Amino acid sequence: MIMEFDPTNAEMAKFGDTYADSEFNRAEAERDAEAAAEKAASKGLKRQYLVVRVNAVAAFASYPLPE
């Protein structure tokens, strides 16, 4: 997945599509992230685009989960 980070306000959000976990899809995500960074730069925006794999360590819900 690609995360967009805005260092001006420390906000981070999911950017674009979610990619499957394969070498091909990681390469596609890297190309898309690089293109997004170039586009942001051309607009004078300060952004970072991170290609990440999420690994949940713990999860907590504010509502009852089905068993």
Short mmCIF file of all heavy atoms in Angstrom, two decimals:
data_model
loop_
_atom_site.label_atom_id
_atom_site.label_comp_id
_atom_site.label_asym_id
_atom_site.label_seq_id
_atom_site.Cartn_x
_atom_site.Cartn_y
_atom_site.Cartn_z
N MET A 1 0.85 -1.15 0.00
CA MET A 1 0.00 0.00 0.00
C MET A 1 0.90 1.22 0.00
O MET A 1 2.04 1.17 0.44
CB MET A 1 -0.93 -0.10 1.20
CG MET A 1 -1.26 1.14 1.90
SD MET A 1 -2.51 1.06 3.23
CE MET A 1 -2.39 -0.54 3.90
N ILE A 2 0.39 2.33 -0.48
CA ILE A 2 1.14 3.58 -0.49
C ILE A 2 0.52 4.51 0.56
O ILE A 2 -0.69 4.69 0.61
CB ILE A 2 1.10 4.27 -1.86
CG1 ILE A 2 1.69 3.36 -2.94
CG2 ILE A 2 1.84 5.61 -1.82
CD1 ILE A 2 1.53 3.90 -4.35
N MET A 3 1.40 5.07 1.39
CA MET A 3 0.97 6.06 2.37
C MET A 3 1.56 7.41 1.97
O MET A 3 2.72 7.49 1.55
CB MET A 3 1.46 5.69 3.77
CG MET A 3 0.94 4.35 4.28
SD MET A 3 -0.86 4.28 4.47
CE MET A 3 -1.11 5.41 5.81
N GLU A 4 0.74 8.44 2.06
CA GLU A 4 1.18 9.81 1.76
C GLU A 4 1.39 10.53 3.08
O GLU A 4 0.50 10.57 3.93
CB GLU A 4 0.11 10.54 0.95
CG GLU A 4 0.48 11.98 0.65
CD GLU A 4 -0.63 12.70 -0.07
OE1 GLU A 4 -1.77 12.70 0.45
OE2 GLU A 4 -0.38 13.27 -1.13
N PHE A 5 2.59 11.07 3.27
CA PHE A 5 2.92 11.80 4.49
C PHE A 5 3.13 13.27 4.17
O PHE A 5 3.87 13.62 3.26
CB PHE A 5 4.20 11.23 5.13
CG PHE A 5 4.64 11.98 6.35
CD1 PHE A 5 3.88 11.97 7.50
CD2 PHE A 5 5.81 12.72 6.33
CE1 PHE A 5 4.28 12.68 8.62
CE2 PHE A 5 6.22 13.42 7.45
CZ PHE A 5 5.45 13.40 8.61
N ASP A 6 2.45 14.12 4.93
CA ASP A 6 2.57 15.57 4.78
C ASP A 6 3.37 16.08 5.98
O ASP A 6 2.84 16.15 7.10
CB ASP A 6 1.19 16.21 4.75
CG ASP A 6 1.23 17.72 4.57
OD1 ASP A 6 2.32 18.31 4.73
OD2 ASP A 6 0.17 18.30 4.30
N PRO A 7 4.66 16.41 5.80
CA PRO A 7 5.48 16.84 6.93
C PRO A 7 5.11 18.21 7.49
O PRO A 7 5.54 18.57 8.58
CB PRO A 7 6.90 16.84 6.36
CG PRO A 7 6.71 17.07 4.90
CD PRO A 7 5.41 16.41 4.55
N THR A 8 4.29 18.97 6.76
CA THR A 8 3.92 20.30 7.25
C THR A 8 2.94 20.22 8.42
O THR A 8 2.87 21.12 9.23
CB THR A 8 3.31 21.17 6.14
OG1 THR A 8 2.09 20.57 5.68
CG2 THR A 8 4.28 21.33 4.98
N ASN A 9 2.17 19.11 8.50
CA ASN A 9 1.22 18.96 9.61
C ASN A 9 1.26 17.56 10.22
O ASN A 9 0.42 17.20 11.04
CB ASN A 9 -0.21 19.29 9.16
CG ASN A 9 -0.67 18.41 8.03
OD1 ASN A 9 -0.07 17.40 7.71
ND2 ASN A 9 -1.77 18.80 7.40
N ALA A 10 2.23 16.74 9.78
CA ALA A 10 2.44 15.37 10.30
C ALA A 10 1.24 14.45 10.06
O ALA A 10 1.03 13.50 10.80
CB ALA A 10 2.82 15.39 11.77
N GLU A 11 0.47 14.71 9.01
CA GLU A 11 -0.65 13.83 8.67
C GLU A 11 -0.20 12.73 7.72
O GLU A 11 0.61 12.97 6.82
CB GLU A 11 -1.79 14.62 8.03
CG GLU A 11 -2.53 15.49 9.00
CD GLU A 11 -3.76 16.15 8.37
OE1 GLU A 11 -4.02 15.95 7.16
OE2 GLU A 11 -4.44 16.87 9.09
N MET A 12 -0.75 11.54 7.92
CA MET A 12 -0.47 10.43 7.04
C MET A 12 -1.80 9.80 6.64
O MET A 12 -2.69 9.65 7.47
CB MET A 12 0.41 9.39 7.73
CG MET A 12 0.84 8.27 6.81
SD MET A 12 2.01 7.13 7.57
CE MET A 12 3.50 8.10 7.47
N ALA A 13 -1.92 9.47 5.36
CA ALA A 13 -3.16 8.88 4.85
C ALA A 13 -2.83 7.87 3.77
O ALA A 13 -1.80 7.99 3.09
CB ALA A 13 -4.06 9.97 4.29
N LYS A 14 -3.72 6.91 3.59
CA LYS A 14 -3.57 5.94 2.50
C LYS A 14 -3.70 6.70 1.19
O LYS A 14 -4.54 7.58 1.05
CB LYS A 14 -4.65 4.87 2.60
CG LYS A 14 -4.60 3.84 1.49
CD LYS A 14 -5.74 2.84 1.68
CE LYS A 14 -5.87 1.95 0.48
NZ LYS A 14 -6.37 2.59 -0.72
N PHE A 15 -2.87 6.34 0.23
CA PHE A 15 -2.88 7.00 -1.07
C PHE A 15 -3.15 5.97 -2.15
O PHE A 15 -2.49 4.94 -2.23
CB PHE A 15 -1.52 7.67 -1.33
CG PHE A 15 -1.41 8.32 -2.68
CD1 PHE A 15 -1.90 9.58 -2.89
CD2 PHE A 15 -0.82 7.64 -3.73
CE1 PHE A 15 -1.80 10.19 -4.14
CE2 PHE A 15 -0.71 8.23 -4.99
CZ PHE A 15 -1.21 9.50 -5.18
N GLY A 16 -4.12 6.23 -3.00
CA GLY A 16 -4.36 5.38 -4.17
C GLY A 16 -4.89 3.99 -3.84
O GLY A 16 -5.55 3.79 -2.83
N ASP A 17 -4.54 3.06 -4.71
CA ASP A 17 -5.03 1.69 -4.61
C ASP A 17 -4.26 0.90 -3.55
O ASP A 17 -3.16 1.27 -3.16
CB ASP A 17 -4.87 0.97 -5.95
CG ASP A 17 -5.71 1.60 -7.04
OD1 ASP A 17 -6.81 2.07 -6.73
OD2 ASP A 17 -5.25 1.62 -8.19
N THR A 18 -4.84 -0.21 -3.15
CA THR A 18 -4.14 -1.19 -2.32
C THR A 18 -3.63 -2.26 -3.27
O THR A 18 -4.35 -2.71 -4.15
CB THR A 18 -5.10 -1.80 -1.28
OG1 THR A 18 -5.58 -0.74 -0.45
CG2 THR A 18 -4.39 -2.82 -0.41
N TYR A 19 -2.38 -2.67 -3.08
CA TYR A 19 -1.74 -3.62 -3.98
C TYR A 19 -1.64 -4.98 -3.31
O TYR A 19 -1.45 -5.07 -2.10
CB TYR A 19 -0.34 -3.13 -4.36
CG TYR A 19 -0.36 -1.78 -5.05
CD1 TYR A 19 -0.41 -0.61 -4.32
CD2 TYR A 19 -0.35 -1.70 -6.43
CE1 TYR A 19 -0.44 0.62 -4.95
CE2 TYR A 19 -0.38 -0.47 -7.07
CZ TYR A 19 -0.43 0.68 -6.32
OH TYR A 19 -0.46 1.90 -6.94
N ALA A 20 -1.71 -6.03 -4.11
CA ALA A 20 -1.49 -7.39 -3.59
C ALA A 20 -0.01 -7.54 -3.23
O ALA A 20 0.84 -6.77 -3.67
CB ALA A 20 -1.89 -8.42 -4.63
N ASP A 21 0.29 -8.53 -2.44
CA ASP A 21 1.66 -8.74 -1.98
C ASP A 21 2.41 -9.68 -2.92
O ASP A 21 2.42 -10.88 -2.74
CB ASP A 21 1.66 -9.30 -0.56
CG ASP A 21 3.05 -9.32 0.05
OD1 ASP A 21 3.92 -8.59 -0.45
OD2 ASP A 21 3.25 -10.06 1.02
N SER A 22 3.01 -9.10 -3.93
CA SER A 22 3.86 -9.86 -4.84
C SER A 22 4.95 -8.91 -5.33
O SER A 22 4.82 -7.70 -5.21
CB SER A 22 3.07 -10.40 -6.04
OG SER A 22 2.72 -9.33 -6.90
N GLU A 23 6.03 -9.47 -5.87
CA GLU A 23 7.11 -8.62 -6.36
C GLU A 23 6.61 -7.67 -7.44
O GLU A 23 6.98 -6.50 -7.48
CB GLU A 23 8.25 -9.48 -6.89
CG GLU A 23 9.08 -10.11 -5.80
CD GLU A 23 10.30 -10.81 -6.34
OE1 GLU A 23 10.93 -10.28 -7.27
OE2 GLU A 23 10.61 -11.89 -5.82
N PHE A 24 5.77 -8.17 -8.35
CA PHE A 24 5.24 -7.33 -9.42
C PHE A 24 4.45 -6.17 -8.85
O PHE A 24 4.62 -5.02 -9.26
CB PHE A 24 4.35 -8.16 -10.36
CG PHE A 24 3.63 -7.30 -11.37
CD1 PHE A 24 4.28 -6.83 -12.51
CD2 PHE A 24 2.30 -6.94 -11.18
CE1 PHE A 24 3.63 -6.03 -13.42
CE2 PHE A 24 1.64 -6.13 -12.10
CZ PHE A 24 2.30 -5.68 -13.22
N ASN A 25 3.56 -6.45 -7.89
CA ASN A 25 2.72 -5.39 -7.33
C ASN A 25 3.52 -4.41 -6.49
O ASN A 25 3.21 -3.23 -6.45
CB ASN A 25 1.57 -6.00 -6.52
CG ASN A 25 0.56 -6.66 -7.43
OD1 ASN A 25 0.23 -6.15 -8.49
ND2 ASN A 25 0.09 -7.81 -7.04
N ARG A 26 4.55 -4.89 -5.81
CA ARG A 26 5.41 -3.96 -5.08
C ARG A 26 6.12 -3.02 -6.04
O ARG A 26 6.23 -1.81 -5.78
CB ARG A 26 6.42 -4.72 -4.21
CG ARG A 26 5.80 -5.27 -2.94
CD ARG A 26 6.85 -5.74 -1.95
NE ARG A 26 7.72 -6.78 -2.49
CZ ARG A 26 7.48 -8.08 -2.43
NH1 ARG A 26 6.35 -8.51 -1.88
NH2 ARG A 26 8.34 -8.95 -2.92
N ALA A 27 6.59 -3.56 -7.16
CA ALA A 27 7.25 -2.72 -8.16
C ALA A 27 6.27 -1.69 -8.72
O ALA A 27 6.63 -0.52 -8.92
CB ALA A 27 7.83 -3.58 -9.29
N GLU A 28 5.03 -2.10 -8.95
CA GLU A 28 4.00 -1.18 -9.45
C GLU A 28 3.73 -0.09 -8.41
O GLU A 28 3.62 1.10 -8.75
CB GLU A 28 2.72 -1.94 -9.76
CG GLU A 28 1.62 -1.08 -10.33
CD GLU A 28 0.34 -1.84 -10.60
OE1 GLU A 28 0.15 -2.96 -10.07
OE2 GLU A 28 -0.48 -1.30 -11.35
N ALA A 29 3.66 -0.48 -7.16
CA ALA A 29 3.42 0.50 -6.08
C ALA A 29 4.59 1.49 -6.01
O ALA A 29 4.37 2.69 -5.82
CB ALA A 29 3.24 -0.21 -4.75
N GLU A 30 5.80 1.00 -6.16
CA GLU A 30 6.97 1.89 -6.14
C GLU A 30 6.92 2.88 -7.30
O GLU A 30 7.22 4.07 -7.11
CB GLU A 30 8.26 1.08 -6.15
CG GLU A 30 8.51 0.36 -4.85
CD GLU A 30 9.77 -0.48 -4.88
OE1 GLU A 30 10.63 -0.27 -5.76
OE2 GLU A 30 9.89 -1.37 -4.02
N ARG A 31 6.54 2.41 -8.48
CA ARG A 31 6.43 3.33 -9.64
C ARG A 31 5.35 4.38 -9.37
O ARG A 31 5.55 5.56 -9.65
CB ARG A 31 6.11 2.55 -10.91
CG ARG A 31 7.28 1.79 -11.50
CD ARG A 31 6.99 1.24 -12.87
NE ARG A 31 5.84 0.34 -12.91
CZ ARG A 31 5.91 -0.98 -12.68
NH1 ARG A 31 7.07 -1.54 -12.41
NH2 ARG A 31 4.83 -1.72 -12.74
N ASP A 32 4.21 3.94 -8.84
CA ASP A 32 3.12 4.87 -8.57
C ASP A 32 3.51 5.89 -7.49
O ASP A 32 3.17 7.07 -7.59
CB ASP A 32 1.86 4.12 -8.14
CG ASP A 32 1.22 3.35 -9.28
OD1 ASP A 32 1.65 3.50 -10.44
OD2 ASP A 32 0.29 2.56 -9.00
N ALA A 33 4.23 5.44 -6.47
CA ALA A 33 4.66 6.34 -5.40
C ALA A 33 5.66 7.37 -5.94
O ALA A 33 5.58 8.55 -5.60
CB ALA A 33 5.27 5.54 -4.25
N GLU A 34 6.58 6.91 -6.76
CA GLU A 34 7.56 7.83 -7.34
C GLU A 34 6.87 8.86 -8.24
O GLU A 34 7.18 10.06 -8.18
CB GLU A 34 8.61 7.06 -8.13
CG GLU A 34 9.71 7.94 -8.67
CD GLU A 34 10.82 7.16 -9.36
OE1 GLU A 34 10.63 5.96 -9.67
OE2 GLU A 34 11.87 7.76 -9.59
N ALA A 35 5.91 8.42 -9.03
CA ALA A 35 5.17 9.33 -9.90
C ALA A 35 4.38 10.34 -9.07
O ALA A 35 4.31 11.53 -9.41
CB ALA A 35 4.23 8.55 -10.82
N ALA A 36 3.79 9.89 -7.96
CA ALA A 36 3.04 10.81 -7.10
C ALA A 36 3.96 11.85 -6.48
O ALA A 36 3.60 13.03 -6.38
CB ALA A 36 2.32 10.01 -6.00
N ALA A 37 5.17 11.43 -6.09
CA ALA A 37 6.13 12.38 -5.51
C ALA A 37 6.55 13.41 -6.55
O ALA A 37 6.66 14.60 -6.25
CB ALA A 37 7.34 11.62 -4.98
N GLU A 38 6.77 12.96 -7.78
CA GLU A 38 7.15 13.90 -8.84
C GLU A 38 6.02 14.88 -9.13
O GLU A 38 6.26 16.07 -9.33
CB GLU A 38 7.54 13.13 -10.10
CG GLU A 38 8.85 12.36 -9.94
CD GLU A 38 9.13 11.40 -11.08
OE1 GLU A 38 8.28 11.25 -11.99
OE2 GLU A 38 10.22 10.80 -11.05
N LYS A 39 4.79 14.40 -9.13
CA LYS A 39 3.64 15.27 -9.37
C LYS A 39 3.49 16.29 -8.25
O LYS A 39 3.24 17.48 -8.50
CB LYS A 39 2.36 14.43 -9.51
CG LYS A 39 1.14 15.23 -9.88
CD LYS A 39 -0.05 14.33 -10.14
CE LYS A 39 -1.25 15.12 -10.56
NZ LYS A 39 -2.41 14.26 -10.84
N ALA A 40 3.66 15.84 -7.00
CA ALA A 40 3.56 16.76 -5.86
C ALA A 40 4.66 17.82 -5.94
O ALA A 40 4.42 19.00 -5.69
CB ALA A 40 3.65 15.99 -4.55
N ALA A 41 5.87 17.39 -6.32
CA ALA A 41 6.99 18.33 -6.45
C ALA A 41 6.70 19.38 -7.52
O ALA A 41 7.01 20.57 -7.33
CB ALA A 41 8.28 17.58 -6.77
N SER A 42 6.08 18.96 -8.62
CA SER A 42 5.78 19.91 -9.70
C SER A 42 4.75 20.95 -9.27
O SER A 42 4.68 22.03 -9.84
CB SER A 42 5.30 19.16 -10.94
OG SER A 42 3.98 18.68 -10.77
N LYS A 43 3.96 20.60 -8.25
CA LYS A 43 2.96 21.53 -7.71
C LYS A 43 3.50 22.31 -6.52
O LYS A 43 2.77 23.09 -5.91
CB LYS A 43 1.71 20.76 -7.28
CG LYS A 43 0.97 20.11 -8.42
CD LYS A 43 -0.24 19.36 -7.89
CE LYS A 43 -1.03 18.74 -9.02
NZ LYS A 43 -2.22 18.02 -8.52
N GLY A 44 4.76 22.06 -6.15
CA GLY A 44 5.35 22.76 -5.02
C GLY A 44 4.91 22.23 -3.67
O GLY A 44 5.08 22.91 -2.66
N LEU A 45 4.35 21.02 -3.65
CA LEU A 45 3.89 20.42 -2.39
C LEU A 45 5.01 19.62 -1.74
O LEU A 45 5.77 18.94 -2.43
CB LEU A 45 2.69 19.51 -2.64
CG LEU A 45 1.46 20.16 -3.26
CD1 LEU A 45 0.43 19.09 -3.62
CD2 LEU A 45 0.87 21.17 -2.31
N LYS A 46 5.09 19.67 -0.43
CA LYS A 46 6.05 18.85 0.30
C LYS A 46 5.30 17.59 0.76
O LYS A 46 4.47 17.65 1.68
CB LYS A 46 6.61 19.60 1.50
CG LYS A 46 7.48 20.76 1.09
CD LYS A 46 8.11 21.40 2.30
CE LYS A 46 9.03 22.52 1.83
NZ LYS A 46 9.69 23.19 2.95
N ARG A 47 5.58 16.48 0.11
CA ARG A 47 4.94 15.21 0.45
C ARG A 47 5.96 14.09 0.37
O ARG A 47 6.91 14.16 -0.42
CB ARG A 47 3.79 14.88 -0.50
CG ARG A 47 2.66 15.86 -0.51
CD ARG A 47 1.85 15.83 0.78
NE ARG A 47 0.68 16.68 0.70
CZ ARG A 47 0.68 17.98 0.93
NH1 ARG A 47 1.80 18.60 1.25
NH2 ARG A 47 -0.43 18.68 0.86
N GLN A 48 5.75 13.06 1.15
CA GLN A 48 6.53 11.83 1.05
C GLN A 48 5.55 10.71 0.74
O GLN A 48 4.43 10.69 1.28
CB GLN A 48 7.26 11.54 2.35
CG GLN A 48 8.30 12.56 2.72
CD GLN A 48 8.93 12.27 4.07
OE1 GLN A 48 8.93 11.14 4.54
NE2 GLN A 48 9.46 13.29 4.70
N TYR A 49 5.96 9.78 -0.10
CA TYR A 49 5.12 8.63 -0.44
C TYR A 49 5.88 7.38 -0.05
O TYR A 49 6.99 7.15 -0.52
CB TYR A 49 4.77 8.66 -1.94
CG TYR A 49 3.91 9.86 -2.25
CD1 TYR A 49 4.49 11.09 -2.55
CD2 TYR A 49 2.52 9.78 -2.18
CE1 TYR A 49 3.70 12.21 -2.79
CE2 TYR A 49 1.73 10.90 -2.42
CZ TYR A 49 2.33 12.11 -2.72
OH TYR A 49 1.55 13.21 -2.95
N LEU A 50 5.28 6.60 0.83
CA LEU A 50 5.93 5.42 1.38
C LEU A 50 5.20 4.17 0.92
O LEU A 50 3.98 4.08 1.07
CB LEU A 50 5.91 5.46 2.91
CG LEU A 50 6.59 6.67 3.55
CD1 LEU A 50 5.60 7.79 3.75
CD2 LEU A 50 7.21 6.27 4.85
N VAL A 51 5.92 3.22 0.36
CA VAL A 51 5.35 1.92 0.03
C VAL A 51 5.52 1.06 1.26
O VAL A 51 6.65 0.84 1.73
CB VAL A 51 6.04 1.29 -1.20
CG1 VAL A 51 5.47 -0.08 -1.49
CG2 VAL A 51 5.90 2.21 -2.41
N VAL A 52 4.41 0.60 1.82
CA VAL A 52 4.45 -0.11 3.09
C VAL A 52 3.72 -1.46 3.01
O VAL A 52 2.84 -1.66 2.17
CB VAL A 52 3.83 0.72 4.23
CG1 VAL A 52 4.56 2.04 4.42
CG2 VAL A 52 2.36 0.98 4.00
N ARG A 53 4.11 -2.34 3.90
CA ARG A 53 3.38 -3.58 4.15
C ARG A 53 2.94 -3.51 5.61
O ARG A 53 3.77 -3.35 6.50
CB ARG A 53 4.26 -4.80 3.93
CG ARG A 53 3.52 -6.10 4.20
CD ARG A 53 4.41 -7.31 4.14
NE ARG A 53 5.10 -7.38 2.86
CZ ARG A 53 6.19 -8.10 2.67
NH1 ARG A 53 6.72 -8.78 3.65
NH2 ARG A 53 6.76 -8.13 1.48
N VAL A 54 1.66 -3.61 5.85
CA VAL A 54 1.14 -3.46 7.21
C VAL A 54 1.24 -4.79 7.94
O VAL A 54 0.87 -5.84 7.42
CB VAL A 54 -0.34 -2.99 7.17
CG1 VAL A 54 -0.92 -2.91 8.56
CG2 VAL A 54 -0.42 -1.65 6.47
N ASN A 55 1.75 -4.72 9.16
CA ASN A 55 1.87 -5.88 10.03
C ASN A 55 1.24 -5.50 11.36
O ASN A 55 1.84 -4.78 12.15
CB ASN A 55 3.35 -6.26 10.20
CG ASN A 55 3.53 -7.47 11.07
OD1 ASN A 55 2.61 -8.24 11.27
ND2 ASN A 55 4.73 -7.64 11.59
N ALA A 56 0.02 -5.95 11.59
CA ALA A 56 -0.68 -5.60 12.83
C ALA A 56 -0.05 -6.33 14.01
O ALA A 56 0.14 -7.54 13.97
CB ALA A 56 -2.16 -5.96 12.72
N VAL A 57 0.26 -5.59 15.04
CA VAL A 57 0.82 -6.16 16.26
C VAL A 57 -0.28 -6.42 17.28
O VAL A 57 -0.29 -7.42 17.98
CB VAL A 57 1.89 -5.21 16.85
CG1 VAL A 57 2.42 -5.73 18.17
CG2 VAL A 57 3.02 -5.02 15.84
N ALA A 58 -1.23 -5.51 17.34
CA ALA A 58 -2.38 -5.64 18.23
C ALA A 58 -3.51 -4.83 17.64
O ALA A 58 -3.28 -3.90 16.87
CB ALA A 58 -2.04 -5.14 19.63
N ALA A 59 -4.73 -5.19 17.99
CA ALA A 59 -5.91 -4.47 17.50
C ALA A 59 -6.91 -4.33 18.62
O ALA A 59 -7.09 -5.26 19.42
CB ALA A 59 -6.53 -5.19 16.31
N PHE A 60 -7.55 -3.18 18.68
CA PHE A 60 -8.53 -2.92 19.71
C PHE A 60 -9.74 -2.26 19.06
O PHE A 60 -9.58 -1.39 18.22
CB PHE A 60 -7.94 -1.99 20.79
CG PHE A 60 -6.68 -2.53 21.39
CD1 PHE A 60 -5.45 -2.18 20.85
CD2 PHE A 60 -6.73 -3.42 22.44
CE1 PHE A 60 -4.28 -2.68 21.39
CE2 PHE A 60 -5.56 -3.94 22.98
CZ PHE A 60 -4.33 -3.57 22.44
N ALA A 61 -10.92 -2.69 19.44
CA ALA A 61 -12.15 -2.16 18.84
C ALA A 61 -12.97 -1.44 19.89
O ALA A 61 -12.94 -1.80 21.07
CB ALA A 61 -12.97 -3.29 18.22
N SER A 62 -13.71 -0.45 19.45
CA SER A 62 -14.61 0.27 20.35
C SER A 62 -16.01 -0.31 20.34
O SER A 62 -16.94 0.29 20.85
CB SER A 62 -14.66 1.75 19.94
OG SER A 62 -15.22 1.85 18.65
N TYR A 63 -16.14 -1.50 19.75
CA TYR A 63 -17.45 -2.17 19.63
C TYR A 63 -17.22 -3.68 19.74
O TYR A 63 -16.11 -4.17 19.54
CB TYR A 63 -18.11 -1.82 18.29
CG TYR A 63 -17.23 -2.17 17.12
CD1 TYR A 63 -17.32 -3.42 16.49
CD2 TYR A 63 -16.28 -1.26 16.63
CE1 TYR A 63 -16.49 -3.74 15.42
CE2 TYR A 63 -15.46 -1.58 15.56
CZ TYR A 63 -15.57 -2.82 14.97
OH TYR A 63 -14.77 -3.15 13.92
N PRO A 64 -18.26 -4.44 20.07
CA PRO A 64 -18.10 -5.89 20.21
C PRO A 64 -17.78 -6.54 18.87
O PRO A 64 -18.40 -6.21 17.85
CB PRO A 64 -19.46 -6.36 20.72
CG PRO A 64 -20.16 -5.14 21.20
CD PRO A 64 -19.58 -3.99 20.45
N LEU A 65 -16.82 -7.41 18.87
CA LEU A 65 -16.47 -8.15 17.66
C LEU A 65 -17.13 -9.52 17.67
O LEU A 65 -17.25 -10.14 18.73
CB LEU A 65 -14.95 -8.33 17.56
CG LEU A 65 -14.16 -7.04 17.45
CD1 LEU A 65 -12.66 -7.34 17.53
CD2 LEU A 65 -14.46 -6.33 16.15
N PRO A 66 -17.56 -10.02 16.52
CA PRO A 66 -18.14 -11.37 16.50
C PRO A 66 -17.08 -12.41 16.81
O PRO A 66 -15.91 -12.23 16.49
CB PRO A 66 -18.64 -11.51 15.05
CG PRO A 66 -17.91 -10.47 14.28
CD PRO A 66 -17.52 -9.39 15.23
N GLU A 67 -17.49 -13.46 17.46
CA GLU A 67 -16.52 -14.51 17.82
C GLU A 67 -16.38 -15.55 16.76
O GLU A 67 -17.12 -15.76 15.91
CB GLU A 67 -16.94 -15.16 19.14
CG GLU A 67 -16.85 -14.13 20.25
CD GLU A 67 -17.06 -14.76 21.61
OE1 GLU A 67 -16.71 -15.94 21.80
OE2 GLU A 67 -17.60 -14.06 22.47
#
